[in-house]
Amino acid sequence: MDAKMFREFGKAAVDFVADYLENIRDHDVLPSVEPGYMLQQMPKQMPESPEDWKHILSDIDRVIKPGITHWQSPNMHAYYPTSVSYPSIVGEMLASGFSVIGFSWICSPACTELEVVVMDWLAKFLKLPAHFLHETEGPGGGVIQGSASEAVLVAVLAAREQAVRRERERQPELSESDIRGKLIAYSSDQSNSCIEKAGVLAAMPIKLLPASEDLVLRGAALKAAIERDVAAGLIPVICVATLGTTGTCAYDDIESLASVCEEHNVWLHVDAAYAGGAFALDECADLRRGLDRVDSLNFNLHKFMLVNFDCAAMWLRDANKVVDSFNVDRIYLKHKYEGCTQIPDFRHWQIPLGRRFRALKVWITFRTLGAEGLRAHVRKHIDLAAQFENLVKADSRFELVAPRALGLVCFRAKGDNEITSQLLHRLMERKKIYMVKAEHGGRQFLRFAVCGMDPKPADIQFAWTEIETQLTQLNLEADQQPLENRKAGEIAELTQHLTGLQLQMDETLQR
Amino acid sequence: MDAKMFREFGKAAVDFVADYLENIRDHDVLPSVEPGYMLQQMPKQMPESPEDWKHILSDIDRVIKPGITHWQSPNMHAYYPTSVSYPSIVGEMLASGFSVIGFSWICSPACTELEVVVMDWLAKFLKLPAHFLHETEGPGGGVIQGSASEAVLVAVLAAREQAVRRERERQPELSESDIRGKLIAYSSDQSNSCIEKAGVLAAMPIKLLPASEDLVLRGAALKAAIERDVAAGLIPVICVATLGTTGTCAYDDIESLASVCEEHNVWLHVDAAYAGGAFALDECADLRRGLDRVDSLNFNLHKFMLVNFDCAAMWLRDANKVVDSFNVDRIYLKHKYEGCTQIPDFRHWQIPLGRRFRALKVWITFRTLGAEGLRAHVRKHIDLAAQFENLVKADSRFELVAPRALGLVCFRAKGDNEITSQLLHRLMERKKIYMVKAEHGGRQFLRFAVCGMDPKPADIQFAWTEIETQLTQLNLEADQQPLENRKAGEIAELTQHLTGLQLQMDETLQR
């Protein structure tokens, strides 16, 4: 393909994307395909000869689009938002046009320096403590990771290595493997599965402490666990707290956790993958309490900043603790900028060596929307969720199970779990809106998250009408058959469809 | 930004990319900026109000482009190629238009299924053993990881967990931490730094065994190391072999390594990040010897398949060993397709939970170029490297330090290391071509890798003329000053510039 043909294909693709996103409400949010649908339609080998781009583009319409779950649809209410914006799409394309691999400054100075710029912009926009800025003297700074999972893993691994070094000095009589065998980490039972996975990958158990009744992890619970473990000879390493849990968007109590962590020399990481976006709002200032005392935190730009996945911001109070843990460079790679976080070697701040030029899409999106546009976007999510919350409250057949938090409303049909389960089953069958359910304390509930690229009040009303109509329908049908038959038959059908659709529960909510 | 404006911005960006790539020879491959160049030009905060896209695009020309190291330039000869192609750029844009997060089938069936399709296409194109295909009955299959570093880490971590489970059964008297403390892994001292880093991250030492004189790791060296370690009570876990080492593109002897690994129940992973592209060629069939006996392997599509970073193919002989090691799902997430690698839950095959729709750019690139186009691209790299090799051979002032391998020629100026060092220094100063140096057995040498999106024979001639002219110039100047002065002065200057440019040595060659 030459440049001339690329101009044609590229521009046709721009129109394709614009048409797709402008008309996204025309599609059911969930696709109607069965597992394996594509495998039957595709050739078994790649073509031997080049194919025409027009043919490929029409195949995207024919084969790809029917198998898309429309995350940018305003009828997407599952997991948490993953939003793109037009400028972000252009930024992604421009970055692939340059196709640099920015693992060090010389590999493309713009790639490293623009990341420093936008991470400081974002830190200021979110009103984070000054020690997280590159421009502040000291070892702190921000970096773009691929995902929240990676950011959490980086924190867990760095904390582990720091703890091993510290303990080897403190207890020289112990071998390294003795020390490693005693390490222990903490999180809440409401935290995302990626945190448990980080423990598996790090070969360091992460205890999932039971959150309080209100689903919040507080210092007292952490303190009790640490004291018990220390008494048993274990070495506490890190606590991963959450601001905006996956189930209900609960906020762990960072201040009381920080006090415990400081006392026991435990790394405190905050996973604010979702709620971090609200740090920017004065009315949400409470959310930022205690952040001046944490060692690291992460926030996903695709959740609230309209920058498409992958783009997970992470800030470190002392980046040298990560660099020091991960650096495998030889001595002659040391250079005069080392330790200066204004020109960081970001490859040492992350798991992989290679890095894409992700800062470009961030920069283009921030400038195109402006701080006011980003704040308005977060506020819109909050307002739309409040609209939905009011609709739930006004219908006596439903109940809220947790306070609305940012753009998330957790609710259920009153009565036993089966009603809520059956309701979700019907909604999934109809594919007009997409929610997932979660469970706490034996009660199943539905999570209604405001998602999509550009949701409107009418979309919220559409979703509500769909939900309440289907409950009405369900109740009507229930009245028409004996209770016992209904339960058995519908449970069997439900189970079949739920497995078929591989419904994802709260543990795998997307990062 | 609305759809109308996106159509304008997007199409202007398509033209920007086409103009950039068409005229890439107009730029010096290395930028002329100093560290911090951008920080001075950028506002300290993101703009409060939206900015016009035309202004942003012109800033990309003004501020970003001067800080780009032009990886797509044919004058790029550093590290290994990272090539993009026009269809891949379009694919990246379309994927960000959909912006789905494919962590499970229902999250976008097309995302999972297209990955199954293209990974099987690629496996057949590369003539890999049938057990690596999804379509073959059994637990094998391919997955797209973000980078070679991630693929290696996945193999290392999965091998570690499998070994721990096996040993706990075999030696129930040992505690888990006792077992973990005895684990040991192997690679060659020629392997990429990401392999050593994987050991650090996994908290499992990876011994870098000395390669033979010809820089190849063979079974005998591994066997001796394993036997010594087993006698000392250690538990061998995995050997990471390389096909196409970063320094000289040497090929470890997979067959003899496989024999040793089979005997000792050690996982054998092959890092074919670069050389994997040549598996497709009949004339390189030797490279595939022994691959039917390895447990996993990885190959970077951005190195030879013209799919832009990130896109690292990985194949597993038994994916269940990874799923089993990494799966943190709860019991009610189990579903009827589990264990069926035709509809895999790829989130369990990788480190992070979230996944982009990378298969789309792969599919579009493969169809646009066809198998014949991809093979021609690999052959072109080989032919251009052969052209360069002949130029080196014909000039008595230079010598080859290793046989040309695929698109890489390793050579040096005859005489002591300083001549080669000074030559590279001059070339870096002039910025017309970009190479990095490496060292083996005390001899420093230059690596000339064929890179860029569309290199031509004239580009190779251009590079050679630049190199040999600068050596002539260097020799001329040397004749004009006393030896001792020259050395001291130039070494000081050299050191200063080398650190300033953060020259990356072989240990950080890009993945």
Side-chain angles (χ1 to χ4, degrees):
Chain A
M1 174 172 280
D2 61 16
K4 181 168 170 294
M5 219 179 288
F6 166 67
R7 290 177 204 265
E8 291 169 19
F9 186 18
K11 290 170 189 179
V14 167
D15 281 328
F16 179 95
V17 168
D19 291 344
Y20 168 71
L21 291 172
E22 274 194 306
N23 301 300
I24 200 154
R25 288 173 181 81
D26 295 351
H27 304 287
D28 286 341
V29 61
L30 279 165
S32 296
V33 299
E34 292 292 314
Y37 88 98
M38 187 192 286
L39 307 179
Q40 293 144 17
Q41 298 180 63
M42 284 284 184
K44 291 283 174 205
Q45 318 237 21
M46 75 168 79
E48 183 58 26
S49 302
E51 293 188 66
D52 190 80
W53 66 264
K54 284 180 192 147
H55 185 49
I56 298 170
L57 196 56
S58 80
D59 274 357
I60 293 177
D61 235 352
R62 188 179 60 83
V63 186
I64 306 296
K65 227 162 76 176
I68 295 287
T69 300
H70 302 286
W71 287 71
Q72 302 314 315
S73 164
N75 301 322
M76 175 79 176
H77 301 292
Y79 315 110
Y80 272 131
T82 288
S83 306
V84 73
S85 62
Y86 290 124
S88 182
I89 296 169
V90 177
E92 192 76 85
M93 179 178 53
L94 288 166
S96 51
F98 287 124
S99 273
V100 301
I101 311 253
F103 55 84
S104 71
W105 183 85
I106 190 64
C107 284
S108 263
C111 180
T112 295
E113 298 202 13
L114 193 63
E115 190 158 328
V116 168
V117 167
V118 298
M119 288 303 293
D120 275 7
W121 281 11
L122 183 57
K124 289 176 185 174
F125 173 74
L126 298 177
K127 304 178 184 185
L128 297 184
H131 56 244
F132 286 125
L133 297 174
H134 290 278
E135 69 175 37
T136 305
E137 189 115 9
V143 61
I144 303 177
Q145 306 279 1
S147 64
S149 330
E150 277 173 63
V152 166
L153 183 60
V154 164
V156 166
L157 292 173
R160 183 193 69 186
E161 293 310 300
Q162 294 296 307
V164 169
R165 288 167 202 208
R166 188 180 65 224
E167 293 300 318
R168 293 204 73 176
E169 282 191 17
R170 212 175 60 88
Q171 307 188 65
E173 70 282 8
L174 292 183
S175 72
E176 182 173 326
S177 81
D178 282 344
I179 290 171
R180 291 192 184 275
K182 293 174 190 297
L183 303 178
I184 182 80
Y186 307 92
S187 191
S188 141
D189 61 2
Q190 296 301 304
S191 67
N192 187 274
S193 65
C194 80
I195 290 158
E196 189 184 350
K197 186 168 177 177
V200 171
L201 301 176
M204 174 170 69
I206 298 199
K207 280 195 184 171
L208 300 181
L209 306 174
S212 311
E213 189 75 0
D214 55 359
L215 304 177
V216 171
L217 181 67
R218 293 192 175 78
L222 178 64
K223 187 179 169 70
I226 288 181
E227 287 176 354
R228 206 165 43 235
D229 288 340
V230 169
L234 298 182
I235 303 166
V237 172
I238 183 171
C239 172
V240 181
T242 308
L243 286 176
T245 58
T246 29
T248 61
C249 193
Y251 310 123
D252 288 343
D253 179 14
I254 305 304
E255 289 196 306
S256 66
L257 293 171
S259 298
V260 177
C261 288
E262 286 159 5
E263 189 185 335
H264 292 276
N265 206 3
V266 164
W267 185 302
L268 180 55
H269 178 83
V270 172
D271 172 14
Y274 176 64
F279 295 161
L281 306 183
D282 287 337
E283 61 270 32
C284 297
D286 277 0
L287 278 180
R288 295 195 304 269
R289 270 194 316 212
L291 290 187
D292 52 323
R293 298 164 69 188
V294 312
D295 295 284
S296 51
L297 81 155
N298 67 278
F299 161 57
N300 282 348
L301 277 80
H302 57 274
K303 288 209 163 68
F304 262 137
M305 297 288 110
L306 290 161
V307 177
N308 63 301
F309 182 77
D310 50 358
C311 197
M314 180 184 196
W315 287 274
L316 294 152
R317 187 157 64 180
D318 183 353
N320 288 335
K321 289 187 178 167
V322 178
V323 172
D324 184 42
S325 303
F326 294 179
N327 186 341
V328 289
D329 281 349
R330 309 307 188 262
I331 186 73
Y332 51 92
L333 275 167
K334 292 197 176 293
H335 55 77
K336 69 178 178 183
Y337 303 109
E338 202 147 275
C340 157
T341 63
Q342 294 243 349
I343 310 294
D345 276 342
F346 279 130
R347 71 180 177 283
H348 300 312
W349 297 43
Q350 62 175 20
I351 305 293
L353 175 56
R355 26 194 8 257
R356 291 191 299 135
F357 193 1
R358 294 189 190 102
L360 193 60
K361 64 184 178 185
V362 177
W363 183 64
I364 294 174
T365 303
F366 285 0
R367 292 184 65 184
T368 304
L369 297 171
E372 64 184 39
L374 293 172
R375 280 191 295 264
H377 178 73
V378 180
R379 287 198 174 106
K380 183 171 77 171
H381 276 235
I382 295 173
D383 292 346
L384 293 176
Q387 177 192 343
F388 186 82
E389 180 189 27
N390 288 332
L391 291 164
V392 174
K393 280 182 181 165
D395 190 322
S396 62
R397 298 171 298 169
F398 291 94
E399 60 184 340
L400 295 170
V401 298
R404 176 195 59 73
L406 303 180
L408 181 71
V409 179
C410 296
F411 72 109
R412 64 194 300 279
K414 286 179 184 166
D416 67 23
N417 283 337
E418 214 184 295
I419 306 172
T420 295
S421 258
Q422 288 179 23
L423 174 59
L424 180 61
H425 166 56
R426 291 183 78 99
L427 294 170
M428 293 282 287
E429 279 287 273
R430 287 171 52 82
K431 305 176 194 301
K432 304 292 176 204
I433 63 172
Y434 182 19
M435 290 185 291
V436 290
K437 65 177 178 174
E439 188 176 310
H440 180 67
R443 291 205 308 172
Q444 293 195 349
F445 58 90
L446 303 180
R447 296 174 69 266
F448 181 90
V450 177
C451 298
M453 186 166 122
D454 190 18
K456 309 271 190 203
D459 298 311
I460 303 303
Q461 186 59 55
F462 172 84
W464 175 251
T465 304
E466 170 74 2
I467 293 165
E468 69 90 12
T469 311
Q470 289 310 308
L471 183 63
T472 303
Q473 194 64 29
L474 189 67
N475 289 338
L476 261 177
E477 288 170 22
D479 290 344
Q480 286 160 12
Q481 57 174 299
L483 186 69
E484 290 314 304
N485 292 355
R486 175 170 67 84
K487 280 199 179 172
E490 289 197 359
I491 288 172
E493 191 199 348
L494 177 69
T495 309
Q496 187 192 345
H497 280 96
L498 284 182
T499 52
L501 287 166
Q502 301 185 34
L503 179 66
Q504 300 308 315
M505 304 290 171
D506 52 338
E507 275 75 3
T508 55
L509 294 173
Q510 138 282 343
R511 314 316 310 278
Chain B
M1 175 171 279
D2 60 15
K4 182 169 172 294
M5 219 179 287
F6 165 68
R7 290 177 204 265
E8 291 170 19
F9 186 18
K11 290 171 189 178
V14 167
D15 281 328
F16 179 95
V17 169
D19 291 344
Y20 168 71
L21 291 171
E22 273 194 307
N23 300 301
I24 200 153
R25 288 174 181 80
D26 295 351
H27 304 286
D28 285 343
V29 61
L30 279 166
S32 296
V33 300
E34 291 292 313
Y37 89 98
M38 187 192 286
L39 307 179
Q40 293 145 17
Q41 299 180 63
M42 284 285 183
K44 291 283 175 206
Q45 319 237 20
M46 75 169 79
E48 182 60 25
S49 302
E51 293 187 66
D52 189 79
W53 67 263
K54 285 181 190 144
H55 185 49
I56 298 170
L57 196 57
S58 80
D59 274 357
I60 293 177
D61 235 352
R62 189 178 61 82
V63 186
I64 305 297
K65 228 162 78 176
I68 295 287
T69 300
H70 303 286
W71 287 71
Q72 302 314 314
S73 163
N75 300 322
M76 175 78 177
H77 301 293
Y79 315 111
Y80 271 130
T82 286
S83 305
V84 72
S85 63
Y86 290 123
S88 182
I89 297 170
V90 177
E92 192 76 84
M93 179 177 52
L94 288 166
S96 51
F98 287 123
S99 273
V100 300
I101 311 252
F103 55 84
S104 72
W105 183 85
I106 190 63
C107 284
S108 264
C111 179
T112 296
E113 298 201 13
L114 193 63
E115 189 158 329
V116 168
V117 167
V118 298
M119 287 303 293
D120 275 7
W121 281 11
L122 183 56
K124 289 176 185 173
F125 172 73
L126 298 178
K127 303 180 185 184
L128 298 183
H131 56 243
F132 285 126
L133 297 174
H134 290 278
E135 70 175 36
T136 304
E137 189 114 11
V143 60
I144 303 176
Q145 306 279 1
S147 65
S149 329
E150 278 174 60
V152 167
L153 183 59
V154 164
V156 165
L157 292 173
R160 183 193 69 185
E161 293 310 300
Q162 295 296 306
V164 168
R165 288 168 203 207
R166 188 181 64 224
E167 292 300 317
R168 291 205 73 177
E169 281 192 18
R170 212 173 59 88
Q171 307 188 66
E173 71 282 7
L174 292 183
S175 72
E176 182 173 326
S177 81
D178 282 344
I179 289 171
R180 291 191 184 275
K182 293 173 190 296
L183 302 178
I184 182 79
Y186 308 91
S187 192
S188 140
D189 61 1
Q190 296 300 305
S191 68
N192 187 274
S193 66
C194 80
I195 290 158
E196 188 184 352
K197 185 168 177 177
V200 172
L201 301 176
M204 174 170 69
I206 297 199
K207 280 195 183 169
L208 300 181
L209 306 174
S212 311
E213 188 75 1
D214 55 359
L215 304 178
V216 171
L217 181 67
R218 292 193 175 78
L222 178 65
K223 187 180 169 70
I226 288 181
E227 286 175 355
R228 206 165 43 235
D229 288 340
V230 168
L234 298 182
I235 303 167
V237 172
I238 183 172
C239 172
V240 181
T242 309
L243 286 176
T245 57
T246 28
T248 60
C249 192
Y251 310 123
D252 287 343
D253 179 13
I254 306 303
E255 289 195 306
S256 66
L257 293 171
S259 297
V260 177
C261 288
E262 286 159 4
E263 188 186 336
H264 292 276
N265 204 3
V266 164
W267 184 303
L268 180 56
H269 178 83
V270 172
D271 173 13
Y274 176 64
F279 295 161
L281 306 183
D282 287 337
E283 61 269 35
C284 298
D286 277 0
L287 278 180
R288 295 195 304 269
R289 269 195 315 214
L291 291 187
D292 52 324
R293 297 163 69 187
V294 312
D295 295 285
S296 52
L297 80 155
N298 66 279
F299 161 57
N300 282 349
L301 276 81
H302 56 274
K303 288 209 162 68
F304 262 138
M305 297 289 107
L306 290 161
V307 177
N308 63 300
F309 182 76
D310 50 357
C311 198
M314 179 184 196
W315 288 273
L316 294 152
R317 187 157 63 178
D318 183 354
N320 288 335
K321 289 186 178 168
V322 178
V323 172
D324 184 42
S325 303
F326 294 179
N327 186 342
V328 289
D329 281 349
R330 309 307 187 261
I331 187 73
Y332 50 93
L333 275 167
K334 293 198 175 293
H335 55 77
K336 69 178 179 182
Y337 302 109
E338 203 149 276
C340 158
T341 63
Q342 294 243 350
I343 311 294
D345 277 340
F346 279 130
R347 70 180 178 282
H348 300 311
W349 297 43
Q350 63 175 20
I351 305 293
L353 176 55
R355 27 195 6 259
R356 291 190 300 135
F357 193 1
R358 295 190 188 100
L360 192 60
K361 65 185 177 186
V362 178
W363 182 64
I364 294 174
T365 303
F366 285 180
R367 293 185 64 185
T368 303
L369 298 171
E372 63 184 40
L374 293 172
R375 279 190 296 262
H377 177 72
V378 180
R379 287 198 175 105
K380 183 171 75 172
H381 276 234
I382 295 172
D383 291 346
L384 292 176
Q387 176 192 342
F388 186 83
E389 180 190 26
N390 288 332
L391 292 163
V392 174
K393 281 183 183 167
D395 190 322
S396 61
R397 298 171 298 168
F398 291 94
E399 60 184 342
L400 294 170
V401 298
R404 176 196 58 75
L406 303 181
L408 181 72
V409 179
C410 296
F411 72 108
R412 65 194 300 278
K414 285 179 185 167
D416 66 23
N417 284 337
E418 215 183 294
I419 306 174
T420 295
S421 257
Q422 288 180 25
L423 173 60
L424 181 61
H425 166 55
R426 291 183 79 98
L427 295 171
M428 294 283 287
E429 279 286 273
R430 288 170 51 82
K431 305 177 194 300
K432 304 291 177 205
I433 63 171
Y434 182 19
M435 289 185 290
V436 290
K437 64 176 179 175
E439 187 177 310
H440 180 67
R443 290 205 309 170
Q444 293 196 351
F445 58 90
L446 303 179
R447 295 173 69 267
F448 180 90
V450 177
C451 297
M453 187 167 120
D454 191 18
K456 309 271 190 204
D459 298 311
I460 303 303
Q461 185 60 54
F462 172 85
W464 175 250
T465 304
E466 171 73 3
I467 294 165
E468 70 89 13
T469 312
Q470 289 310 308
L471 184 64
T472 303
Q473 194 63 29
L474 189 68
N475 289 338
L476 262 177
E477 289 170 21
D479 290 344
Q480 287 160 10
Q481 57 173 300
L483 185 70
E484 288 315 303
N485 293 355
R486 176 171 66 84
K487 277 199 180 172
E490 287 197 0
I491 287 172
E493 191 199 347
L494 177 69
T495 307
Q496 187 191 346
H497 279 96
L498 284 183
T499 51
L501 287 165
Q502 302 184 32
L503 179 65
Q504 300 307 314
M505 305 289 173
D506 53 337
E507 275 74 5
T508 54
L509 293 172
Q510 138 283 342
R511 311 320 308 280

